[in-house]
Amino acid sequence: VEDVDTQALSPMMQQYLEIKRQHPNEMLLYRIGDFYEMFFDDALTASRELELTLTGKACGLPDRAPMCGVPFHSYEIYAARLIAKGYKVAICEQMEDPALAKGLVKRDIIRVITPGTVIESSMLADDKNNYICSIYTRKVRSRWKAGICFADISTGEAYALTVEERLQLARFIVERVKGRLPVIVGTGAMRTPD
């Protein structure tokens, strides 16, 4: 999307690209009437990952913009499949009634869905927790300390603790979290820039 000449685009596609540039790391579901549409690279990715028909839309450029879409009333099914494949999804909604809008319908992002922020029961596995985790590190008297908080946002269950040694953190992960919370542990994981 970076190399697209925005001046040549139709007003709606200019709006799409403006919003997409604010959310370059998410699949953008852009509401148009009864559908959430995806364009350009997002359309190519979504058509492949979701097995959707790839079409094109006249956009002011010599070539049609790659496009695919899903019905707005069933977007959760498709968003859940994208999340399960490791993508983040930004939902861009019409902020006014298209029948009453003067000119281009105002649109804005109403939600960004990531694996840790899914709360819809239709997008969650009944037999798995949906944890989100935050770790804060700080150097205190030449030693690193960490505060860890994680919560299952689908049930409200939350845990918090402080850790003063890496061994204590490793024990916590093995005993309490392993298999229930995605954990990435690497060398220097407790270090922050001075």
Side-chain angles (χ1 to χ4, degrees), residues 114-136:
T114 67
T117 62
V118 173
I119 56 173
E120 293 85 353
S121 59
S122 65
M123 297 173 76
L124 293 169
D126 291 337
D127 60 341
K128 292 185 181 176
N129 293 90
N130 190 40
Y131 287 109
I132 189 166
C133 178
S134 175
I135 300 175
Y136 173 77

Side-chain angles (χ1 to χ4, degrees), residues 12-13 16 20 26-32 35-50 52-57 65-71 75 78-79 82 88-91:
M12 188 193 77
M13 292 306 286
Y16 170 85
K20 178 62 183 169
E26 292 88 25
M27 298 286 292
L28 178 59
L29 276 63
Y30 181 84
R31 179 81 179 266
I32 302 176
F35 287 84
Y36 282 110
E37 303 287 1
M38 290 155 277
F39 299 100
F40 299 107
D41 291 343
D42 284 357
L44 297 172
T45 301
S47 68
R48 181 184 68 246
E49 296 287 356
L50 301 174
L52 299 173
T53 300
L54 185 66
T55 62
K57 180 165 183 66
M67 177 181 93
C68 66
V70 298
Y75 84 91
Y78 298 96
L82 288 169
K88 296 181 258 178
V89 177
I91 306 298

